[in-house]
Amino acid sequence: MHPNSLTENIYWVGAVDYDERDFHGYSLSPRGTTYNAYIIKDTKVTLVDTVKDTKTETMLENIREVVNPEDIDYIVCNHLELDHAGALAKIVEIAKPEKIFCSLAGLKSLNGQFDTTDWNIQAVRDGEIISLGERTISFIDGLRIHWPDSMLSYIKEDGILFSNDVFGQNISSGIFADGVDRAMMTHAVKEYFYNIVLPFAKHVPKLLSNILKAVDTISIIAPDHGAIFRTQEDIEYILNLYKDLAEQKPKKKILIIYDTMWHTTEKMAYQVGKGIKECDPAIEVEILSVKSNHHSAIMTALADSGAIAFGSPTHNNTILPLMSAVLTYMKGLKPQNRVGACFGSFGWSGEATRVLTEALSEMRIPLVSEPVKMLYCLDEYGTESCIDLGRTLGKALLESIEKHKDSLNA
Ligand code: FEO
């Protein structure tokens, strides 16, 4: 059997990008990534998705190992973002495929990004089935996770679900999940979910339910990034992890995010952390400087946190710029079910805590207490105020955990 076989006559023909560190230009990918594409050798030789343009030759080499690229009859485009469609124009030029399949929304993406004048494109709907000869592909609407065009493809005869970005992870160290360290995999799935999928988390339960309704059996889940899940244990693991991440039930951890100029706000952050531990030593505390931690790493840390505190000194009547960047990024990702607090030092006007309060309000993260402001240096009263803020935040988190437990049990 070919080392890249998923099953008889179905092959991984994608590309490993060991050097990718800036996934899509906004999210760290410290382990690199892969762009997965797949060949199905049937009466209609079918390519499912392609790769980033810089990896076109690699994909062609991998295709040539199993089939002549000119013999490709069908191309399925589950999603037209350029990490999956970057090699599309080249492979269409070589293969001159009889048909290119995409979702209805995918038509817009295809026509917007490529000269499709001579392309024979067929838009497919949720539930539509095409025949490849011995096999069929049925299409499942991706419910806008994470582009309007996103869809999944299922081969009933082999029980293979090509899930595109859904269930993806930025891992470059193995084609199959059973060869990947589980703790690293879990971190990578959280990282991907919290930086790519999170704004659409509310659609995930329906998508999971639609997948289970649409498929008879799942033997393999083959995403377009990272490792492929091919054991029942791994399939259950990734479905359960997605369910858990989508629910965003508050976890017993608090993130403290801060920036600082002359270290007063930094000292405040550590006192808030002390207060949280006084409330309950079992609450995990993670204190992250925005100078030392990328915005995507902060989002990944949020996956396990049910509460968040922000601290910034006042600078030019507002907050420091790196904190603004983190807040803008986090707001777009729409985290849910968190409680929050804010604090900051100032010398003159002290607008930072108001700006932080407004940012939390825009994210619908309720403040558990009035912000703590500190003029110049952290004094005894300020220290106690920060510790008290930490205690209050810890208590609010424990209540929030209870509340969400009740709401799930109701
Ligand atoms: Fe993997 Fe949305 O691209």
Side-chain angles (χ1 to χ4, degrees):
M1 199 148 160
H2 191 282
N4 294 348
S5 288
L6 273 63
T7 184
E8 200 181 348
N9 288 324
I10 300 184
Y11 305 88
W12 177 90
V13 292
V16 179
D17 193 343
Y18 292 105
D19 298 321
E20 178 64 275
R21 292 292 180 274
D22 186 22
F23 190 68
H24 290 33
Y26 61 80
S27 186
L28 291 182
S29 46
R31 298 162 301 276
T33 194
T34 68
Y35 315 107
N36 299 339
Y38 303 94
I39 281 284
I40 304 152
K41 278 169 76 175
D42 205 313
T43 308
K44 298 294 181 188
V45 175
T46 302
L47 173 66
V48 177
D49 293 328
T50 76
V51 297
K52 195 174 174 178
D53 60 346
T54 53
K55 297 293 180 187
T56 302
E57 280 309 314
T58 307
M59 182 190 77
L60 286 169
E61 277 170 31
N62 285 330
I63 292 174
R64 279 188 205 106
E65 284 202 21
V66 295
V67 73
N68 181 347
E70 291 174 19
D71 293 342
I72 292 171
D73 299 295
Y74 290 170
I75 300 177
V76 171
C77 297
N78 281 322
H79 168 40
L80 274 306
E81 193 162 14
L82 290 174
D83 49 334
H84 308 297
L88 185 61
K90 184 70 183 174
I91 194 71
V92 171
E93 182 192 320
I94 293 170
K96 299 185 180 50
E98 191 182 321
K99 276 185 190 165
I100 299 169
F101 299 93
C102 65
S103 65
L104 289 171
L107 274 180
K108 229 185 196 177
S109 304
L110 265 179
N111 293 325
Q113 297 185 106
F114 302 99
D115 177 1
T116 55
T117 316
D118 298 321
W119 295 12
N120 188 6
I121 303 168
Q122 182 175 329
V124 290
R125 293 176 189 277
D126 179 54
E128 199 165 333
I129 297 172
I130 61 166
S131 171
L132 309 184
E134 290 184 8
R135 297 173 181 79
T136 56
I137 296 184
S138 52
F139 299 103
I140 301 169
D141 185 349
L143 302 181
R144 304 176 73 89
I145 302 170
H146 72 126
W147 270 25
D149 69 357
S150 297
M151 66 177 188
L152 299 79
S153 302
Y154 174 65
I155 301 188
K156 179 182 172 174
E157 293 73 12
D158 298 281
I160 298 182
L161 180 70
F162 296 108
S163 62
N164 195 263
D165 280 329
V166 180
F167 311 124
Q169 347 88 39
N170 288 324
I171 287 177
S172 56
S173 61
I175 291 186
F176 297 106
D178 40 299
V180 173
D181 176 76
R182 181 49 57 89
M184 191 253 275
M185 167 65 77
T186 301
H187 183 82
V189 173
K190 287 178 183 175
E191 178 186 76
Y192 196 95
F193 193 100
Y194 261 72
N195 286 284
I196 313 281
V197 179
L198 192 63
F200 317 97
K202 67 178 178 192
H203 302 305
V204 167
K206 177 130 178 66
L207 180 66
L208 294 177
S209 147
N210 286 357
I211 288 172
L212 295 175
K213 260 190 250 161
V215 310
D216 295 331
T217 177
I218 305 182
S219 302
I220 295 177
I221 293 180
D224 273 11
H225 296 290
I228 295 162
F229 304 91
R230 64 175 175 178
T231 68
Q232 281 310 304
E233 185 189 337
D234 284 350
I235 288 165
E236 274 172 35
Y237 154 82
I238 190 63
L239 292 174
N240 287 335
L241 182 55
Y242 248 62
K243 181 172 173 288
D244 179 65
L245 291 171
E247 279 178 353
Q248 298 188 65
K249 271 169 67 181
K251 304 278 196 300
K252 208 171 178 178
K253 173 177 169 181
I254 297 181
L255 271 192
I256 302 173
I257 311 297
Y258 75 95
D259 204 351
T260 198
M261 288 168 68
W262 299 107
H263 302 289
T264 296
T265 304
E266 181 181 19
K267 288 174 187 163
M268 294 174 82
Y270 280 79
Q271 295 306 324
V272 172
K274 193 173 165 189
I276 295 166
K277 285 291 186 186
E278 280 186 14
C279 168
D280 183 348
I283 298 176
E284 188 185 344
V285 174
E286 190 170 5
I287 302 177
L288 298 175
S289 153
V290 296
K291 282 190 179 63
S292 312
N293 294 277
H294 191 266
H295 54 252
S296 62
I298 289 172
M299 281 310 298
T300 306
L302 187 62
D304 294 320
S305 308
I308 184 162
F310 293 94
S312 172
T314 296
H315 176 249
N316 294 339
N317 307 107
T318 183
I319 55 177
L320 282 171
L322 289 176
M323 181 59 78
S324 293
V326 167
L327 288 167
T328 300
Y329 186 68
M330 189 177 286
K331 184 180 155 195
L333 288 161
K334 301 184 175 67
Q336 305 291 314
N337 302 339
R338 267 75 181 188
V339 290
C342 57
F343 56 92
S345 67
F346 67 105
W348 297 279
S349 48
E351 290 93 341
T353 49
R354 177 179 56 73
V355 174
L356 291 173
T357 300
E358 286 169 3
L360 265 76
S361 165
E362 283 174 18
M363 286 194 277
R364 298 192 181 147
I365 297 177
L367 280 187
V368 300
S369 168
E370 284 298 307
V372 174
K373 292 171 75 169
M374 190 69 241
L375 180 63
Y376 294 122
C377 303
L378 190 61
D379 58 14
E380 202 176 319
Y381 176 75
T383 300
E384 190 47 46
S385 301
C386 288
I387 291 172
D388 197 45
L389 184 67
R391 285 189 206 111
T392 308
L393 187 57
K395 187 166 172 282
L397 172 62
L398 297 177
E399 288 166 1
S400 173
I401 289 171
E402 277 308 305
K403 186 181 112 187
H404 284 88
K405 237 189 229 164
D406 290 348
S407 68
L408 283 167
N409 291 337

